[in-house]
Amino acid sequence: MRVACPWDREQDARSIVPHTVEEAFELADAANASDDAKQVDELGDVLFQVHFLSLLLEERGVASLADVAEACRQKLIRRHPHVYPDPDSAIAGPDGTVQASTAGEVLANWDEIKKSEAGRAPGIFGEVPENLPGTLYARKVQRRTASTGFDFDGVPLEAVAGELQELAEAVEQADGDLSPTGPARDALFHEVGDVLFAAVNVARKLKVDPELALRAAAERFRGRIEAAEAQATAAGEEWASLTPDRQLQHYAQARLREHG
Protein backbone atom coordinates (compact mmCIF):
# COMPACT_ATOMS: atom_id res chain seq x y z
CA MET A 1 0.00 0.00 0.00
CA ARG A 2 2.83 2.41 0.82
CA VAL A 3 4.28 1.95 -2.67
CA ALA A 4 0.92 2.42 -4.39
CA CYS A 5 -0.40 5.38 -2.34
CA PRO A 6 1.10 8.86 -3.03
CA TRP A 7 0.22 10.09 0.48
CA ASP A 8 1.83 7.08 2.15
CA ARG A 9 5.00 7.50 0.10
CA GLU A 10 5.47 11.05 1.36
CA GLN A 11 5.35 10.13 5.05
CA ASP A 12 8.21 9.75 7.50
CA ALA A 13 8.23 9.05 11.24
CA ARG A 14 7.84 12.73 12.18
CA SER A 15 4.79 13.19 9.97
CA ILE A 16 3.17 9.93 11.10
CA VAL A 17 3.63 10.24 14.88
CA PRO A 18 0.99 12.99 15.30
CA HIS A 19 -1.51 10.54 13.80
CA THR A 20 -0.24 7.85 16.18
CA VAL A 21 -0.88 10.10 19.17
CA GLU A 22 -4.35 10.96 17.87
CA GLU A 23 -5.23 7.29 17.40
CA ALA A 24 -3.99 6.51 20.92
CA PHE A 25 -6.31 9.16 22.36
CA GLU A 26 -9.23 7.82 20.34
CA LEU A 27 -8.51 4.36 21.73
CA ALA A 28 -8.35 5.77 25.25
CA ASP A 29 -11.69 7.49 24.71
CA ALA A 30 -13.27 4.22 23.55
CA ALA A 31 -11.85 2.34 26.54
CA ASN A 32 -13.04 5.04 28.95
CA ALA A 33 -16.53 4.77 27.45
CA SER A 34 -16.43 0.94 27.75
CA ASP A 35 -17.32 0.77 24.05
CA ASP A 36 -16.00 -2.64 23.04
CA ALA A 37 -16.86 -2.32 19.35
CA LYS A 38 -15.12 1.05 19.19
CA GLN A 39 -12.09 -0.39 20.99
CA VAL A 40 -11.76 -3.09 18.33
CA ASP A 41 -11.84 -0.42 15.64
CA GLU A 42 -9.38 1.90 17.40
CA LEU A 43 -7.01 -0.94 18.32
CA GLY A 44 -6.80 -1.69 14.61
CA ASP A 45 -5.87 1.91 13.90
CA VAL A 46 -3.17 1.87 16.60
CA LEU A 47 -1.86 -1.45 15.28
CA PHE A 48 -1.64 0.06 11.81
CA GLN A 49 0.39 2.96 13.21
CA VAL A 50 2.85 0.55 14.83
CA HIS A 51 3.13 -1.41 11.59
CA PHE A 52 3.64 1.74 9.51
CA LEU A 53 6.36 3.11 11.76
CA SER A 54 8.06 -0.28 11.84
CA LEU A 55 7.93 -0.39 8.05
CA LEU A 56 9.73 2.94 7.89
CA LEU A 57 12.51 1.48 10.06
CA GLU A 58 12.67 -1.58 7.85
CA GLU A 59 13.00 0.54 4.70
CA ARG A 60 16.05 2.19 6.25
CA GLY A 61 17.50 -1.17 7.21
CA VAL A 62 17.30 -0.33 10.93
CA ALA A 63 14.77 -2.85 12.24
CA SER A 64 11.55 -4.69 11.40
CA LEU A 65 8.18 -5.30 13.03
CA ALA A 66 9.59 -8.62 14.23
CA ASP A 67 12.49 -6.76 15.87
CA VAL A 68 10.08 -4.39 17.56
CA ALA A 69 8.02 -7.30 18.91
CA GLU A 70 11.14 -9.13 20.10
CA ALA A 71 12.46 -6.04 21.89
CA CYS A 72 9.09 -5.70 23.62
CA ARG A 73 9.15 -9.37 24.64
CA GLN A 74 12.62 -9.07 26.12
CA LYS A 75 11.73 -5.88 27.97
CA LEU A 76 8.63 -7.42 29.55
CA ILE A 77 10.58 -10.46 30.70
CA ARG A 78 13.42 -8.31 32.05
CA ARG A 79 11.02 -6.08 33.97
CA HIS A 80 9.04 -8.97 35.44
CA PRO A 81 11.73 -10.93 37.34
CA HIS A 82 9.05 -11.92 39.90
CA VAL A 83 7.35 -13.83 37.06
CA TYR A 84 10.41 -14.88 35.03
CA PRO A 85 13.15 -15.63 37.59
CA ASP A 86 16.41 -13.87 36.76
CA PRO A 87 19.25 -14.09 39.29
CA ASP A 88 21.12 -11.45 37.25
CA SER A 89 18.32 -8.90 37.63
CA ALA A 90 19.42 -5.50 38.92
CA ILE A 91 17.05 -5.92 41.88
CA ALA A 92 17.55 -9.61 42.65
CA GLY A 93 18.06 -10.41 46.33
CA PRO A 94 20.92 -12.44 47.86
CA ASP A 95 19.10 -15.62 46.97
CA GLY A 96 18.74 -14.52 43.34
CA THR A 97 14.98 -14.00 43.51
CA VAL A 98 12.71 -10.98 43.27
CA GLN A 99 9.53 -10.67 45.29
CA ALA A 100 6.46 -8.61 44.34
CA SER A 101 3.22 -9.38 46.12
CA THR A 102 1.42 -6.10 45.34
CA ALA A 103 0.89 -3.92 42.28
CA GLY A 104 2.84 -1.15 44.01
CA GLU A 105 5.87 -3.41 44.46
CA VAL A 106 5.70 -4.40 40.80
CA LEU A 107 5.80 -0.73 39.76
CA ALA A 108 8.65 0.02 42.16
CA ASN A 109 10.65 -2.90 40.77
CA TRP A 110 9.85 -1.78 37.22
CA ASP A 111 11.26 1.68 37.90
CA GLU A 112 14.42 0.30 39.50
CA ILE A 113 15.05 -2.04 36.58
CA LYS A 114 14.55 0.80 34.09
CA LYS A 115 17.27 2.80 35.85
CA SER A 116 19.74 -0.03 35.30
CA GLU A 117 19.10 -0.43 31.57
CA ALA A 118 21.82 0.67 29.18
CA GLY A 119 21.30 3.76 27.07
CA ARG A 120 18.76 5.41 29.34
CA ALA A 121 19.05 9.13 30.07
CA PRO A 122 20.43 9.76 33.58
CA GLY A 123 18.64 11.51 36.41
CA ILE A 124 15.25 11.17 38.05
CA PHE A 125 13.50 12.72 35.07
CA GLY A 126 15.56 11.14 32.31
CA GLU A 127 13.47 10.45 29.18
CA VAL A 128 10.33 12.20 30.46
CA PRO A 129 8.85 13.52 27.18
CA GLU A 130 8.37 17.26 27.45
CA ASN A 131 5.72 17.26 24.70
CA LEU A 132 3.21 15.26 26.73
CA PRO A 133 -0.15 16.93 27.42
CA GLY A 134 0.18 19.06 30.56
CA THR A 135 -1.75 16.73 32.87
CA LEU A 136 0.19 13.67 31.74
CA TYR A 137 3.53 15.50 31.95
CA ALA A 138 2.69 16.53 35.53
CA ARG A 139 1.71 12.97 36.45
CA LYS A 140 4.90 11.58 34.90
CA VAL A 141 7.04 14.02 36.89
CA GLN A 142 5.14 13.10 40.07
CA ARG A 143 5.52 9.38 39.40
CA ARG A 144 9.25 9.68 38.83
CA THR A 145 9.60 11.68 42.03
CA ALA A 146 7.53 9.14 43.96
CA SER A 147 9.80 6.34 42.71
CA THR A 148 12.62 7.92 44.75
CA GLY A 149 10.54 7.69 47.92
CA PHE A 150 9.43 11.33 47.98
CA ASP A 151 5.64 11.06 48.07
CA PHE A 152 2.50 11.61 50.13
CA ASP A 153 1.32 8.68 52.24
CA GLY A 154 -2.35 9.25 51.46
CA VAL A 155 -4.47 11.18 48.99
CA PRO A 156 -3.30 14.82 49.33
CA LEU A 157 -6.69 16.51 49.28
CA GLU A 158 -5.45 19.10 51.75
CA ALA A 159 -2.79 20.15 49.24
CA VAL A 160 -5.50 21.07 46.73
CA ALA A 161 -7.35 23.01 49.42
CA GLY A 162 -4.12 24.83 50.35
CA GLU A 163 -3.36 25.76 46.75
CA LEU A 164 -6.93 26.97 46.23
CA GLN A 165 -6.54 29.22 49.27
CA GLU A 166 -3.34 30.68 47.84
CA LEU A 167 -5.10 31.25 44.53
CA ALA A 168 -7.98 32.99 46.34
CA GLU A 169 -5.45 35.26 48.04
CA ALA A 170 -3.81 36.06 44.71
CA VAL A 171 -7.20 36.93 43.21
CA GLU A 172 -7.94 39.19 46.18
CA GLN A 173 -4.60 40.93 45.80
CA ALA A 174 -5.35 41.50 42.12
CA ASP A 175 -8.16 43.76 43.35
CA GLY A 176 -10.32 43.15 40.30
CA ASP A 177 -7.55 43.65 37.73
CA LEU A 178 -7.50 40.26 35.97
CA SER A 179 -6.36 41.60 32.61
CA PRO A 180 -3.62 39.71 30.70
CA THR A 181 -1.19 42.56 31.40
CA GLY A 182 -2.26 43.26 34.98
CA PRO A 183 0.36 43.43 37.75
CA ALA A 184 -1.02 40.27 39.38
CA ARG A 185 -0.83 38.21 36.18
CA ASP A 186 2.35 36.33 37.12
CA ALA A 187 1.02 35.46 40.58
CA LEU A 188 -2.29 34.23 39.14
CA PHE A 189 -0.49 32.17 36.51
CA HIS A 190 1.69 30.62 39.19
CA GLU A 191 -1.15 29.82 41.59
CA VAL A 192 -3.46 28.37 38.92
CA GLY A 193 -0.61 26.08 37.87
CA ASP A 194 -0.14 24.95 41.46
CA VAL A 195 -3.86 24.15 41.79
CA LEU A 196 -3.82 22.07 38.63
CA PHE A 197 -0.60 20.30 39.63
CA ALA A 198 -2.05 19.43 43.04
CA ALA A 199 -5.24 18.13 41.40
CA VAL A 200 -3.20 15.90 39.10
CA ASN A 201 -1.37 14.55 42.14
CA VAL A 202 -4.72 13.62 43.73
CA ALA A 203 -5.70 11.86 40.50
CA ARG A 204 -2.40 9.97 40.52
CA LYS A 205 -2.91 8.77 44.07
CA LEU A 206 -6.46 7.70 43.24
CA LYS A 207 -5.20 5.91 40.10
CA VAL A 208 -7.39 8.08 37.87
CA ASP A 209 -6.05 9.22 34.50
CA PRO A 210 -6.20 13.04 34.81
CA GLU A 211 -6.32 13.63 31.07
CA LEU A 212 -9.26 11.28 30.53
CA ALA A 213 -11.03 12.52 33.67
CA LEU A 214 -10.70 16.15 32.55
CA ARG A 215 -11.90 15.34 29.05
CA ALA A 216 -14.88 13.43 30.49
CA ALA A 217 -15.75 16.41 32.69
CA ALA A 218 -15.53 18.72 29.69
CA GLU A 219 -17.80 16.38 27.71
CA ARG A 220 -20.35 16.35 30.54
CA PHE A 221 -20.31 20.14 30.70
CA ARG A 222 -20.64 20.38 26.92
CA GLY A 223 -23.63 18.05 26.98
CA ARG A 224 -25.34 20.12 29.68
CA ILE A 225 -24.79 23.36 27.77
CA GLU A 226 -26.14 21.80 24.58
CA ALA A 227 -29.18 20.53 26.50
CA ALA A 228 -29.70 23.95 28.08
CA GLU A 229 -29.49 25.63 24.68
CA ALA A 230 -32.02 23.14 23.28
CA GLN A 231 -34.37 23.94 26.18
CA ALA A 232 -34.05 27.64 25.49
CA THR A 233 -34.76 27.12 21.80
CA ALA A 234 -37.82 25.00 22.65
CA ALA A 235 -39.04 27.86 24.84
CA GLY A 236 -38.65 30.33 21.98
CA GLU A 237 -35.52 31.89 23.48
CA GLU A 238 -32.12 32.51 21.93
CA TRP A 239 -29.44 31.16 24.25
CA ALA A 240 -26.79 33.79 23.50
CA SER A 241 -29.27 36.61 24.11
CA LEU A 242 -30.39 35.40 27.53
CA THR A 243 -29.24 36.95 30.79
CA PRO A 244 -26.74 34.90 32.80
CA ASP A 245 -29.43 34.15 35.39
CA ARG A 246 -31.80 32.77 32.74
CA GLN A 247 -29.00 30.71 31.20
CA LEU A 248 -28.23 29.32 34.64
CA GLN A 249 -31.86 28.31 35.08
CA HIS A 250 -31.76 26.31 31.87
CA TYR A 251 -28.40 24.82 32.86
CA ALA A 252 -29.77 23.76 36.27
CA GLN A 253 -32.75 22.12 34.60
CA ALA A 254 -30.45 20.27 32.21
CA ARG A 255 -28.43 18.94 35.15
CA LEU A 256 -31.59 17.81 36.91
CA ARG A 257 -32.70 15.94 33.80
CA GLU A 258 -29.24 14.40 33.51
CA HIS A 259 -29.61 12.91 36.99
CA GLY A 260 -33.18 11.79 36.40
Side-chain angles (χ1 to χ4, degrees):
M1 184 175 71
R2 176 164 159 77
V3 175
C5 177
W7 187 89
D8 286 356
R9 289 198 301 269
E10 292 181 1
Q11 306 310 308
D12 60 16
R14 287 175 296 183
S15 67
I16 285 295
V17 162
H19 298 284
T20 309
V21 173
E22 181 179 333
E23 296 296 352
F25 272 109
E26 291 180 5
L27 172 58
D29 189 57
N32 192 53
S34 298
D35 188 333
D36 293 339
K38 188 67 173 176
Q39 284 187 67
V40 171
D41 181 57
E42 298 302 341
L43 278 168
D45 290 343
V46 171
L47 181 60
F48 174 76
Q49 294 293 315
V50 173
H51 182 271
F52 199 109
L53 287 165
S54 299
L55 179 61
L56 295 178
L57 291 175
E58 187 172 348
E59 289 176 353
R60 302 205 317 271
V62 177
S64 66
L65 181 60
D67 295 324
V68 171
E70 175 59 19
C72 181
R73 184 189 72 85
Q74 292 180 11
K75 181 189 296 183
L76 290 174
I77 291 175
R78 183 171 63 253
R79 295 183 183 177
H80 286 77
H82 56 289
V83 177
Y84 306 98
D86 179 10
D88 296 324
S89 173
I91 61 171
D95 61 353
T97 65
V98 174
Q99 303 298 321
S101 57
T102 68
E105 290 176 349
V106 171
L107 291 177
N109 289 345
W110 180 285
D111 287 333
E112 283 300 315
I113 293 169
K114 282 177 65 175
K115 294 175 185 177
S116 69
E117 293 172 343
R120 299 197 66 83
I124 298 172
F125 305 112
E127 299 184 356
V128 173
E130 295 186 0
N131 60 348
L132 284 171
T135 57
L136 301 186
Y137 177 75
R139 184 180 65 175
K140 192 81 169 180
V141 168
Q142 291 165 358
R143 281 180 170 176
R144 287 293 184 88
T145 302
S147 72
T148 68
F150 187 84
D151 198 8
F152 289 92
D153 291 332
V155 180
L157 296 173
E158 69 285 352
V160 177
E163 297 298 347
L164 281 170
Q165 179 59 39
E166 292 183 17
L167 175 58
E169 293 170 0
V171 171
E172 184 178 354
Q173 290 173 6
D175 196 25
D177 185 1
L178 304 181
S179 63
T181 57
R185 178 51 45 184
D186 288 346
L188 293 171
F189 182 87
H190 176 92
E191 297 302 343
V192 167
D194 285 350
V195 169
L196 294 173
F197 189 80
V200 169
N201 207 23
V202 167
R204 177 182 67 87
K205 297 293 284 187
L206 293 174
K207 297 180 174 56
V208 171
D209 186 300
E211 188 71 20
L212 294 180
L214 179 58
R215 288 178 62 85
E219 284 296 317
R220 289 194 301 274
F221 180 75
R222 174 180 172 175
R224 292 165 187 162
I225 293 296
E226 289 174 339
E229 181 185 24
Q231 288 172 186
T233 300
E237 301 171 322
E238 184 181 354
W239 171 262
S241 299
L242 297 177
T243 65
D245 285 344
R246 184 58 178 153
Q247 288 179 333
L248 185 58
Q249 289 174 6
H250 282 300
Y251 179 80
Q253 291 173 7
R255 289 205 63 177
L256 287 173
R257 288 194 175 94
E258 176 185 305
H259 294 289

